Amino acid sequence: MRVFHSYGSKERLFEMMGRVNNLNEQILPKEKKNEVIKEFIAFADKKLGLGDDMPEVKVSYDDKEAEAMKSFGKYTPETNELRVVAINRNLADILRTLAHELIHHKQFKEGKLKQDSNNTGSEHENEANALAGVFMREFGKDNPIIFE
């Protein structure tokens, strides 16, 4: 029987993620990540047909915000803002979260979102998860750097 190691605490987990982030930064600096994120936003925009209806996208490298959000991404229709936590995460995961939240934006604009749409397993969460995966595979074919 295999026993999985417990990280012990949230602080310990963030410390370990920080070490990984330092290694990732050496491989793919933040500036390059931000370039690819912009390219991905344009790609997703084209796929979703958002055009002038793009929400304000904020990418956070603030570990305190990451801890406070209790999520890796959030779309807020009231402010037309989309936030994605980028600190201590690989680029593919950041982009998947970004796609997921952009899909929620599209769902909102189409009048599909309801009070319980963010529940795990809901029709709208499942759609956002599935399409985000498709976007990643398609974008990743031409941009393998996202998997480094």
Side-chain angles (χ1 to χ4, degrees):
M1 180 168 110
R2 187 170 178 190
V3 177
F4 292 95
H5 176 64
S6 170
Y7 294 113
S9 70
K10 186 169 29 172
E11 291 79 19
R12 175 83 174 120
L13 177 60
F14 273 97
E15 176 190 331
M16 292 174 69
M17 289 173 71
R19 288 182 189 172
V20 170
N21 189 58
N22 289 337
L23 292 174
N24 285 345
E25 181 69 22
Q26 292 171 21
I27 297 166
L28 189 63
K30 188 189 312 184
E31 294 77 24
K32 180 62 178 170
K33 272 186 185 178
N34 288 336
E35 272 180 46
V36 176
I37 289 169
K38 286 179 185 174
E39 290 173 26
F40 183 78
I41 290 170
F43 168 84
D45 177 17
K46 191 173 182 181
K47 299 291 286 182
L48 294 169
L50 297 173
D52 293 335
D53 203 13
M54 180 65 70
E56 182 179 359
V57 176
K58 295 185 178 180
V59 178
S60 174
Y61 290 92
D62 180 352
D63 56 349
K64 302 253 186 281
E65 181 177 9
E67 194 172 341
M69 268 182 66
K70 297 182 176 45
S71 175
F72 291 119
K74 181 179 182 179
Y75 167 62
T76 307
E78 298 79 18
T79 60
N80 198 38
E81 182 180 277
L82 189 157
R83 297 188 80 76
V84 177
V85 172
I87 192 155
N88 299 337
R89 299 177 69 205
N90 71 30
L91 184 54
D93 193 41
I94 294 165
L95 298 180
R96 191 213 57 79
T97 299
L98 179 56
H100 179 99
E101 299 304 334
L102 283 170
I103 292 160
H104 282 322
H105 172 69
K106 173 83 171 180
Q107 291 167 335
F108 174 74
K109 292 299 182 177
E110 292 176 344
K112 293 180 180 178
L113 291 185
K114 302 173 189 149
Q115 191 69 24
D116 64 347
S117 289
N118 66 343
N119 290 347
T120 301
S122 75
E123 166 188 3
H124 302 106
E125 271 299 295
N126 288 344
E127 179 184 40
N129 285 326
L131 285 176
V134 170
F135 285 15
M136 292 308 302
R137 290 181 78 159
E138 291 177 359
F139 187 78
K141 282 181 187 176
D142 294 329
N143 301 279
I145 192 171
I146 71 170
F147 301 113
E148 293 182 16

